[in-house]
Amino acid sequence: METLEGINASAGIGIGHVLVVEEPTLEYESRTVSDTEAEKQRFHAAIDGYVAYTQAQADQMAEQVGPKEAEILTGHIVMIADPYMQGEMEKLIDGGTCAEDALSQICDNFAAMFEATGDELTMQRATDIRDVKGGVLAELLNKRPVDISLVPQGTVLVTHDLTPSMTASIRPGTVVGIVTETGGMTSHSAILARAMEIPAVLSVENACKALADGVQVVVDGGRGTVTVEPDPDVLSAAQKESDRLAARQEELKRFVGCRTVTADGTRVELFANIGKPEDATQAMERDAEGVGLFRTEFLFMDSTSMPSEDEQFEAYKKAALICKGKPIIIRTLDIGGDKDIPYMGFEHEDNPFMGFRAVRYCLAREDVYRIQLRALLRASAFGDIRIMVPLVTCVDEMTAVRDLISRYMAEFDNEGVAYNKDIQIGAMIETPAAALMADELAKVCDFFSIGTNDLTGYTMACDRGNDRVRYLYSTYNPAVLRSIRNVITAGNEAGILVGMCGEAAANPLLIPLWVAFGLGEYSVNAASVLATRAAINRWSLDEAKAFAERIMELSTAAAVYEELKKIEEE
Amino acid sequence: MYSKTVTLVNPQGFHMRPASLFVAEVGKFSAPVKIVAKGNEIPGNSLMAIMAAGIKCGDEIEVKAEGEDEQAAVEAIVAFVESGMGD
């Protein structure tokens, strides 16, 4: 028995047998062919196989993830179908070149030409043509990746990185655990695993080598451990824990359809975080009372050009309609130089997290912001849409945004377009500056939502992705807790709703503090809605306040954590 | 042979979406169509070759066809390019 450690990215216990899914190596030996007709047949069979396989993947992707993601794959089919390009490859085969070389040379030529254009959009397509080359090569070499949709029940997937196409192929109930060699809490792999409620441990060094196909493992996604060939007592303990979690899930069902109240009956709101309009469906199914954070970046990242006002309007309207009149807080574009969106014209920055991003970018690029704000206003006619501004640091930013919105409202009045005249406009509180100025900001905001992830990072001046300083990144740190308390108090005194949309909102250890501080709205992952409702329900206001008083006297993150943990165990 | 010159109006140039629509338009005619851009001749049925040419907004291109429906082909394709090709 051996235990591997990694990042606890998606909670739960998975007991199953390993299947290592590795990207096939596409090495081959160049040959000269004499039967060129047969080689051309082999070449075309490979393309046909690739097209059929990719189309099936695209269909699955469209169904399980979304049509936008599927477009990437159908684009690959369009590329390889190019008759001129195929003709060039055939010419090489006619001259005695083997299919693998013909394919590689022509694809590499095109990739090089794309890169030489100097046009960002076309240069990006070079990656696509390399993907196509890899896919057709895999067909020629008979090394098609393992079809995950066919794996047996009780499979633990072990892979370098969980790709969207792998995710698309996972059938519910077959994969009981995921182990990867890369990725962190907020990586693509982690988000997908949590969305599918599959226990996952990420960043396990050399997992693909250390774990052999067929070996039994216990994946503990809550602790971040993978136990290889568990002893009988470990196995039975894991089984027990797994049963306990299932029972807990069952127990939580009694909170379905209930209002979210503290033990003494104080009502709070419990919303969900979403990244796409479709996610609102899951949020509603999981009994969220609204959407507390709708990240709009997907619209921009998934597109090759600036999404139009109509495209954005349709996306926001769709989400609003799914929410059926429940509140939906939509965060305006939160993006900067750390994200590569060619058409947005970001320049490289030495320190993008402190740089030209989010509301700073939007206020400087009114042409971009106008499109989004007008789309949001139009969609507000279809539900309780509220506008949230990210990375606010000063009062003037909020006033500037409000001025823009008033101007667009006047445009719509002239055009006779419907919108919600009382739309709420609030700030995401995620910088120390905003937390310190919360009382003044409250005068120009209809609500606050505390983004604990960035507030923790900016308050502690540390990058959570940097292994050397990650130890400082902790919401348990008294500096962060004081900051949060200050924001909630200021908001409540001004009579505006204060919510929280970071990971800390769903942390059962911290919930008594939020109850004591008077947090009015919790926005959590859809999967955590019921557990959060149950955790809030455990505390009465008086108990929580007495407890918080003790906690707030402590001076270190470690002491805070120890004390919170003690209570949890009581 | 029939040919005509037209200016590309797509703000982001001849990228994947307009190029695939262009190729579909070319496919409606029997006469083989070619584009001449920056002195290079590009097969009009090749999405990849068109994208690789890096034709930008404001660039002039010559559309030429040779075959039975050459005139109809060139006129229709030029009108299509002028319309902005769905962008």
Side-chain angles (χ1 to χ4, degrees):
Chain A
M1 191 173 83
E2 184 197 355
T3 301
L4 309 176
E5 290 187 7
I7 293 171
N8 51 338
S10 176
I13 306 274
I15 304 169
H17 293 89
V18 167
L19 177 71
V20 181
V21 181
E22 277 188 280
E23 295 285 319
T25 55
L26 299 174
E27 282 163 22
Y28 63 90
E29 274 185 31
S30 297
R31 303 167 286 124
T32 312
V33 291
S34 45
D35 188 347
T36 56
E37 286 310 311
E39 189 67 0
K40 276 193 280 188
Q41 267 182 23
R42 197 170 80 85
F43 169 68
H44 282 291
I47 290 180
D48 291 347
Y50 170 75
V51 168
Y53 177 75
T54 309
Q55 186 61 54
Q57 288 249 304
D59 293 344
Q60 265 175 340
M61 184 76 110
E63 191 181 315
Q64 302 196 14
V65 189
K68 281 268 184 190
E69 286 79 1
E71 254 176 45
I72 302 170
L73 294 170
T74 48
H76 291 175
I77 297 177
V78 173
M79 284 182 158
I80 193 64
D82 190 311
Y84 170 77
M85 185 171 76
Q86 287 192 14
E88 294 294 298
M89 292 170 183
E90 283 178 7
K91 272 189 220 163
L92 286 177
I93 298 174
D94 283 335
T97 308
C98 67
E100 288 87 348
D101 275 340
L103 172 81
S104 302
Q105 283 176 24
I106 300 295
C107 284
D108 289 346
N109 280 351
F110 273 109
M113 280 193 276
F114 283 12
E115 275 168 354
T117 58
D119 171 69
E120 289 268 19
L121 274 180
T122 309
M123 286 163 81
Q124 276 199 331
R125 295 290 174 194
T127 315
D128 289 292
I129 190 66
R130 290 204 183 91
D131 278 0
V132 172
K133 176 180 113 178
V136 181
L137 262 183
E139 288 287 332
L140 281 169
L141 302 169
N142 245 331
K143 282 187 176 170
R144 192 186 276 185
V146 182
D147 186 349
I148 295 168
S149 68
L150 300 177
V151 304
Q153 263 188 354
T155 296
V156 171
L157 274 189
V158 179
T159 172
H160 181 67
D161 190 13
L162 188 70
T163 64
S165 64
M166 285 183 196
T167 319
S169 319
I170 293 177
R171 281 186 303 128
T174 55
V175 174
V176 296
I178 293 168
V179 180
T180 70
E181 293 182 333
T182 59
M185 272 306 273
T186 48
S187 68
H188 199 56
S189 305
I191 291 166
L192 292 169
R194 283 198 293 270
M196 293 184 295
E197 293 178 51
I198 299 176
V201 180
L202 308 186
S203 280
V204 177
E205 248 174 82
N206 282 323
C208 292
K209 293 233 156 51
L211 298 167
D213 278 346
V215 166
Q216 190 178 41
V217 291
V218 174
V219 178
D220 186 334
R223 285 207 183 80
T225 57
V226 182
T227 312
V228 189
E229 294 184 315
D231 296 337
D233 52 324
V234 172
L235 189 62
S236 74
Q239 190 60 56
K240 249 194 211 152
E241 177 66 4
S242 166
D243 293 345
R244 193 189 66 83
L245 290 174
R248 164 112 179 111
Q249 245 0 79
E250 195 56 37
E251 186 192 310
L252 286 178
K253 286 199 177 136
R254 80 184 168 89
F255 287 98
V256 173
C258 300
R259 292 151 72 104
T260 306
V261 287
T262 57
D264 57 341
T266 309
R267 174 83 200 270
V268 295
E269 297 194 83
L270 179 54
F271 294 170
N273 298 339
I274 65 171
K276 295 182 178 193
E278 301 84 77
D279 298 347
T281 310
Q282 209 206 1
M284 295 300 115
E285 280 168 7
R286 298 298 181 87
D287 213 29
E289 298 153 29
V291 168
L293 168 63
F294 175 8
R295 305 178 180 91
T296 54
E297 289 73 60
F298 83 97
L299 271 171
F300 299 83
M301 317 255 305
D302 288 4
S303 181
T304 51
S305 56
M306 185 67 68
S308 67
E309 185 183 312
D310 282 341
E311 277 174 89
Q312 294 194 45
F313 162 69
E314 287 301 335
Y316 306 145
K317 177 183 157 188
K318 183 174 174 187
L321 290 176
I322 295 170
C323 290
K324 296 202 175 85
K326 289 177 179 167
I328 168 166
I329 298 176
I330 305 185
R331 181 176 70 187
T332 61
L333 190 56
D334 184 12
I335 229 157
D338 57 317
K339 302 236 167 59
D340 185 25
I341 305 183
Y343 61 85
M344 299 202 70
F346 284 118
E347 283 164 18
H348 171 80
E349 294 185 6
D350 287 340
N351 200 349
F353 286 96
M354 304 252 172
F356 186 52
R357 58 185 301 115
V359 68
R360 304 167 182 184
Y361 171 85
C362 289
L363 286 174
R365 286 290 304 270
E366 204 199 314
D367 55 327
V368 174
Y369 211 22
R370 177 172 186 269
I371 295 172
Q372 182 170 41
L373 291 174
R374 278 177 54 103
L376 284 168
L377 283 174
R378 279 168 62 192
S380 73
F382 297 88
D384 186 2
I385 285 182
R386 303 173 186 180
I387 297 174
M388 175 156 74
V389 185
L391 203 77
V392 171
T393 48
C394 9
V395 170
D396 359 11
E397 285 166 343
M398 277 313 293
T399 17
V401 174
R402 296 195 86 104
D403 287 347
L404 287 177
I405 292 174
S406 307
R407 203 191 311 158
Y408 306 143
M409 284 180 167
E411 289 175 8
F412 284 139
D413 289 337
N414 286 333
E415 295 166 28
V417 176
Y419 65 91
N420 173 13
K421 291 184 164 53
D422 302 315
I423 190 166
Q424 293 194 23
I425 304 157
M428 185 149 172
I429 306 292
E430 52 189 334
T431 65
L436 284 168
M437 292 296 287
D439 53 342
E440 288 300 320
L441 274 169
K443 295 176 187 164
V444 290
C445 290
D446 299 315
F447 65 89
F448 285 159
S449 185
I450 305 170
T452 52
N453 300 6
D454 277 344
L455 183 62
T456 303
Y458 286 127
T459 300
M460 299 309 297
C462 85
D463 172 3
R464 72 196 303 197
N466 180 337
D467 290 343
R468 305 291 297 275
V469 298
R470 188 163 29 202
Y471 69 94
L472 284 169
Y473 182 93
S474 164
T475 307
Y476 299 115
N477 208 294
V480 181
L481 296 177
R482 287 184 191 195
S483 185
I484 291 171
R485 183 176 59 181
N486 185 45
V487 174
I488 299 174
T489 307
N492 285 345
E493 277 173 7
I496 64 171
L497 180 69
V498 183
M500 181 183 287
C501 57
E503 278 162 35
N507 183 338
L509 289 185
L510 288 165
I511 281 174
L513 297 184
W514 310 153
V515 169
F517 296 165
L519 189 70
E521 177 250 307
Y522 299 66
S523 192
V524 304
N525 286 325
S528 307
V529 167
L530 291 179
T532 306
R533 186 174 288 152
I536 293 168
N537 194 246
R538 279 176 56 196
W539 292 89
S540 75
L541 214 51
D542 287 344
E543 276 172 339
K545 277 185 176 158
F547 177 54
E549 209 166 300
R550 255 166 60 206
I551 297 291
M552 295 306 282
E553 280 170 3
L554 301 170
S555 57
T556 67
V560 167
Y561 179 74
E562 284 306 310
E563 202 60 27
L564 292 171
K565 197 80 187 156
K566 251 189 250 164
I567 293 291
E568 156 107 335
E569 279 157 12
E570 266 170 24
Chain B
M1 213 270 295
Y2 188 84
S3 88
K4 224 170 173 174
T5 300
V6 61
T7 305
L8 198 76
V9 296
N10 298 63
Q12 293 177 320
F14 229 141
H15 65 95
M16 184 130 168
R17 199 166 17 176
S20 55
L21 293 173
F22 181 92
V23 169
E25 188 68 22
V26 167
K28 292 179 186 166
F29 301 93
S30 67
V33 174
K34 289 193 169 114
I35 301 174
V36 184
K38 298 176 197 160
N40 297 318
E41 206 171 81
I42 305 151
N45 65 346
S46 173
L47 168 86
M48 299 294 288
I50 294 171
M51 284 169 64
I55 303 166
K56 294 189 175 51
C57 185
D59 285 356
E60 273 201 346
I61 58 171
E62 185 189 350
V63 178
K64 58 183 191 180
E66 189 149 16
E68 213 176 297
D69 52 2
E70 55 182 43
Q71 185 168 355
V74 171
E75 292 295 345
I77 291 163
V78 164
F80 183 63
V81 173
E82 281 170 342
S83 78
M85 298 187 285
D87 252 12

